[in-house]
Amino acid sequence: MFKKVLIANRGEIAVRIAQTLQEMSIAVVAVFSDVDRDSPHVSRADEAYHLDGIAPSETYLDAHKIVEAAKHHKVDAIHPGYGFLSENAAFAHLCADEGITFIGPSPKVISAMGDKIVAKQTLETAGVPLVPGWSSDDANLSDIRKAADRIGYPVLLKAAAGGGGKGMRIVEAASDIEGALGAAQREANSAFGDARVFVEKYIARPRHIEFQIFGDHHGNVVHLFERECSIQRRYQKIIEETPAPNFPDSLRQKMGESAVAAAKAINYTGAGTVEFLVDEHGHFYFLEVNTRLQVEHPITEAVVDQDLVRTQVLVAAGEPLPFTQDQLRQTGHALEARIYAEDPARGFLPSTGLIDRYHQPHGRWIRVDSGVRSGSLVTVHYDPMLAKLITWGDSRDESICRMQWALQRYVVLGVTTNIEFLARVIDHPNFANGDLHTHFLDDNDLSASKSGNVPDEAFIIAALTMKRRAASRSRTSGDDESRPVYSDTPWQSSGRWRNT
Ligand code: ADP
């Protein structure tokens, strides 16, 4: 087993990976940029290496600096987390060349799945259902136009090298295709240095359902069931859950088999995710394979009772998977909400600054994976996701109820967060009914508090009145001034902490 592992990442995921490594008696080496010196992921580690600079390109994305750090600290392996270098085949190659184990699949698989055109072609031969579409490495306007006519509008233009929803354009009618293609190609070129774009049928109101897969170096492949990730904003997941609600067992079975077939077709090793769209008629279509640990992996851990980082480490060290398909069961229900430093009332503008006060909820069935604490600085340089809140319950209702309670007690002062927005989504009757699809947040605009500012003002005035009353009462009766006043107060009726 490895003695020392470097985590090529920051924030909550670096802290989370360190937790498992240390539990396995593996020493942890952190890397940190100029502004991350005092971050939890650094204080948590056994050793740390300074990456000179701030921008991702000169720190967490600089493959050569990371390998230099790994050699300096004499580590056996590198865990890339998600984002940054996690899906960079050249980095995985570089690690191999230096004799360092990359905790992830082979560079060949990473590069094949990183190209959506290659991925679709590869999986089609494995019998995995694809979204009807058309692709070619040198597609021109007339090819794309013909393909779109054949598929039928609306269609979606997507970047071959795409990720994070970049380079995607919905085209409603033939007259819009020329402009949309130009825009998608320009965006793809500037984001990924690769202008190739392909065309797909645009599925109306789909659900995003993905399957966790795992393969080892002994030919074993399993899936660890699904995650429903339909609550999205601009193609980015915000709330995830497992098991997916209103999801027939027969479909779960079929999609699980498809995910395993996909993994086997590419000799997959390590943790991965096969993403699908499910349409209103229950037909499912392959979207892409993510060759890394996903942000939302904790809900799978909660429901199948496994540590996925531990499994990644075992597989990377050459051990067989510690479970068979038959041993895996879904027990209860788990939800994850992503806590972002952003302002939903101002178009989800990222919010930066110092976190003066940070308090996270606690409970036996509540997990918080956080990369911040009181005194942390949130900068413009990195992803604004601060933490993930995960709740588990015997039933979906129970984990929702626990999530509502936990969100109410989550306090982040100093930067604006999406906590109240998340609570509004979780409180929505359509969410409670499990009526989910990727346009949920377009159909239900929950970005601004319905009550506006008036109740806040009323709240402050009432609070001041209470304080005055309490002071005058203690003067007349000699009461202890610190004794709480329990009357019919807004503190009681509001039922929610506010970040003011
Ligand atoms: P990325 O790699 O950029 O994240 P994906 O292919 O994973 O792109 O798709 C992200 C999201 O975009 C999906 O979860 C879904 O909401 C939407 N999407 C992608 N393809 C389609 C499609 N053919 N029809 C409708 N929505 C789609």
Side-chain angles (χ1 to χ4, degrees):
M1 185 39 68
F2 307 130
K3 296 249 172 326
K4 205 194 271 187
V5 171
L6 181 141
I7 302 170
N9 218 300
R10 65 182 299 284
E12 65 85 18
I13 194 62
V15 177
R16 186 263 167 272
I17 294 166
Q19 172 76 29
T20 290
L21 292 175
Q22 289 170 340
E23 284 173 9
M24 295 175 81
S25 301
I26 298 171
V28 169
V29 180
V31 289
F32 62 97
S33 69
D34 293 355
V35 285
D36 278 345
R37 190 175 292 275
D38 299 321
S39 296
H41 83 273
V42 182
S43 42
R44 158 109 228 190
D46 301 290
E47 297 167 29
Y49 184 94
H50 177 215
L51 302 168
D52 203 12
I54 298 176
S57 60
E58 53 183 3
T59 56
Y60 304 102
L61 271 175
D62 187 327
H64 290 280
K65 270 191 198 168
I66 301 276
V67 167
E68 209 177 281
K71 280 162 53 183
H72 179 81
H73 285 270
K74 301 191 169 54
V75 306
D76 307 304
I78 295 182
H79 196 306
Y82 56 72
F84 294 125
L85 295 167
S86 62
E87 291 176 290
N88 184 317
F91 177 66
H93 253 304
L94 190 61
C95 292
D97 291 347
E98 297 290 347
I100 301 164
T101 303
F102 173 81
I103 301 181
S106 69
K108 198 173 141 218
V109 168
I110 297 175
S111 82
M113 293 302 111
D115 185 323
K116 293 189 187 200
I117 295 178
V118 175
K120 287 183 78 166
Q121 285 164 350
T122 312
L123 296 192
E124 186 167 27
T125 52
V128 178
L130 305 184
V131 183
W134 182 83
S135 62
S136 153
D137 273 350
D138 50 4
N140 57 33
L141 176 62
S142 114
D143 294 332
I144 296 262
R145 200 192 285 282
K146 273 191 223 139
D149 287 341
R150 214 170 38 244
I151 295 164
Y153 288 89
V155 296
L156 190 64
L157 298 177
K158 288 170 104 169
K166 287 203 193 85
M168 255 197 274
R169 284 281 184 295
I170 303 168
V171 189
E172 301 285 349
S175 55
D176 301 335
I177 201 135
E178 186 169 1
L181 181 64
Q185 285 172 331
R186 275 192 303 278
E187 195 173 314
N189 196 36
S190 78
F192 314 110
D194 179 348
R196 286 174 307 140
V197 165
F198 63 99
V199 59
E200 247 178 34
K201 170 99 195 128
Y202 182 71
I203 314 270
R205 297 166 80 84
R207 291 170 73 173
H208 174 121
I209 296 199
E210 59 184 34
F211 274 71
Q212 176 70 51
I213 52 164
F214 243 110
D216 64 17
H217 295 279
H218 307 273
N220 303 307
V221 178
V222 300
H223 73 79
L224 291 87
F225 305 99
E226 81 281 10
R227 291 185 289 257
E228 161 96 55
C229 308
S230 299
I231 305 293
Q232 306 181 347
R233 204 183 70 80
R234 298 214 182 129
Y235 310 119
Q236 301 275 6
K237 302 159 187 168
I238 297 175
I239 293 171
E240 305 93 354
E241 61 180 293
T242 184
N246 306 327
F247 188 64
D249 248 336
S250 54
L251 189 54
R252 175 174 293 114
Q253 175 95 18
K254 264 199 278 180
M255 290 177 71
E257 282 164 10
S258 237
V260 168
K264 283 190 171 152
I266 52 177
N267 293 321
Y268 200 87
T269 52
T273 296
V274 185
E275 297 191 333
F276 297 98
L277 290 181
V278 179
D279 72 12
E280 290 170 301
H281 312 289
H283 298 128
F284 65 94
Y285 308 96
F286 166 74
L287 257 191
E288 64 169 341
V289 178
N290 287 324
T291 54
R292 55 172 158 82
L293 189 71
Q294 301 269 97
V295 175
E296 57 273 22
H297 76 278
I299 55 172
T300 299
E301 295 189 319
V303 161
V304 301
D305 199 18
Q306 293 290 339
D307 181 334
L308 298 194
V309 173
R310 182 183 155 83
T311 313
Q312 281 188 298
V313 171
L314 295 177
V315 167
E319 294 194 19
L321 283 177
F323 38 70
T324 62
Q325 189 70 64
D326 290 345
Q327 289 168 339
L328 295 165
R329 294 260 176 291
Q330 289 174 299
T331 306
H333 181 275
L335 262 173
E336 174 182 279
R338 302 187 185 193
I339 313 290
Y340 278 95
E342 63 183 16
D343 189 351
R346 295 172 62 211
F348 294 87
L349 199 71
S351 170
T352 57
L354 189 73
I355 298 179
D356 319 300
R357 189 103 174 83
Y358 177 83
H359 172 84
Q360 63 187 41
H362 296 274
R364 176 140 183 226
W365 311 113
I366 294 169
R367 164 173 170 181
V368 181
D369 282 14
S370 167
V372 295
R373 58 185 165 211
S374 296
S376 288
L377 195 62
V378 182
T379 72
V380 294
H381 305 288
Y382 313 116
D383 191 86
M385 194 181 81
L386 305 178
K388 302 176 319 206
L389 173 59
I390 301 106
T391 57
W392 180 90
D394 260 337
S395 63
R396 184 169 188 262
D397 285 348
E398 196 180 305
S399 66
I400 289 180
C401 191
R402 202 162 268 145
M403 179 60 81
Q404 287 166 329
W405 181 90
L407 284 168
Q408 284 172 18
R409 274 148 193 88
Y410 211 128
V411 181
V412 183
L413 301 182
V415 295
T416 308
T417 71
N418 65 340
I419 293 174
E420 289 190 23
F421 167 73
L422 292 169
R424 286 194 291 275
V425 178
I426 301 278
D427 287 349
H428 198 281
N430 291 353
F431 187 85
N433 293 337
D435 182 9
L436 308 182
H437 52 81
T438 58
H439 299 287
F440 184 96
L441 294 177
D442 302 325
D443 292 2
N444 308 292
D445 181 13
L446 301 169
S447 56
S449 161
K450 285 245 164 33
S451 45
N453 288 328
V454 181
D456 276 355
E457 219 170 309
F459 189 87
I460 292 165
I461 293 166
L464 291 172
T465 314
M466 265 172 58
K467 203 174 153 195
R468 220 179 300 122
R469 267 199 224 127
S472 70
R473 202 175 315 139
S474 73
R475 266 200 304 279
T476 52
S477 67
D479 270 2
D480 175 5
E481 206 176 325
S482 65
R483 203 185 80 185
V485 182
Y486 299 110
S487 56
D488 186 19
T489 70
W491 300 100
Q492 230 175 12
S493 56
S494 83
R496 179 157 295 149
W497 280 100
R498 281 152 196 252
N499 287 329
T500 49

